[in-house]
Amino acid sequence: MPIPTAEHSYLRLTYRPDLRILFMRWTRLVSSQEHRTGYLQGLQFAREHQAGHWLVDLRTRGLAEAADFKWILQEFRPQMQQALPGISFRIAYLVTPYHQEVITSRLVAEEKMFRSFIEEKDAYQWLGTPMAEAS
């Protein structure tokens, strides 16, 4: 069975049913508009596969501007919850060591839905853990 994939000029979306993870791999630097459009494309793709666990690879693209990250937390999160009711969400950001410090500083300590990782294996493990067991 082929792995569902959607290709865009700056983004590749893949859903791995065996892992139950949507992979969002940015392929280049993007504008603020492309950033937001990419997340909305990801949401549409997630809806097709009922995917609430995402691995977002930022190593090629780098971090979003603070305003765009705020948009994810304040505006995009409710859109995810509305688009996929009853599904628990968890987004793992795969980043460089330098960017991990920056992205972690943007998240409040109580944040349970988003976490950053340097190693893909660690992100898989966190994404596969039920929310009640998450630390």
Side-chain angles (χ1 to χ4, degrees):
M1 177 161 112
I3 295 176
T5 303
E7 296 277 343
H8 302 280
S9 63
Y10 49 87
L11 178 66
R12 181 174 34 263
L13 299 166
T14 307
Y15 179 66
R16 291 275 311 267
D18 57 329
L19 299 173
R20 295 181 20 212
I21 296 174
L22 182 149
F23 291 83
M24 176 184 266
R25 298 200 189 265
W26 297 91
T27 58
R28 65 170 170 80
L29 295 174
V30 296
S31 68
S32 179
Q33 183 60 45
E34 289 171 324
H35 171 265
R36 293 174 188 213
T37 299
Y39 272 89
L40 294 173
Q41 290 168 332
L43 183 55
Q44 180 179 351
F45 192 74
R47 191 179 298 131
E48 293 171 27
H49 303 287
Q50 296 295 293
H53 291 185
W54 297 20
L55 187 136
V56 180
D57 190 343
L58 299 176
R59 295 173 298 182
T60 300
R61 190 198 84 185
L63 298 183
E65 294 294 324
D68 289 324
F69 192 69
K70 186 176 179 180
W71 173 83
I72 290 170
L73 296 175
Q74 295 180 351
E75 295 180 39
F76 182 71
R77 178 196 324 240
Q79 290 178 40
M80 287 181 77
Q81 293 166 332
Q82 185 177 33
L84 294 164
I87 293 186
S88 70
F89 292 99
R90 193 174 272 193
I91 297 179
Y93 288 108
L94 192 57
V95 297
T96 64
Y98 170 76
H99 287 139
Q100 186 176 38
E101 186 177 315
V102 175
I103 200 168
T104 300
S105 73
R106 292 179 179 176
L107 293 169
V108 295
E110 302 81 35
E111 182 60 63
K112 302 284 188 220
M113 186 174 161
F114 300 91
R115 189 159 300 163
S116 64
F117 297 89
I118 297 169
E119 299 291 332
E120 210 160 320
K121 175 183 68 96
D122 296 334
Y124 293 159
Q125 289 174 339
W126 182 73
L127 287 169
T129 303
M131 284 299 270
E133 296 177 22
S135 56

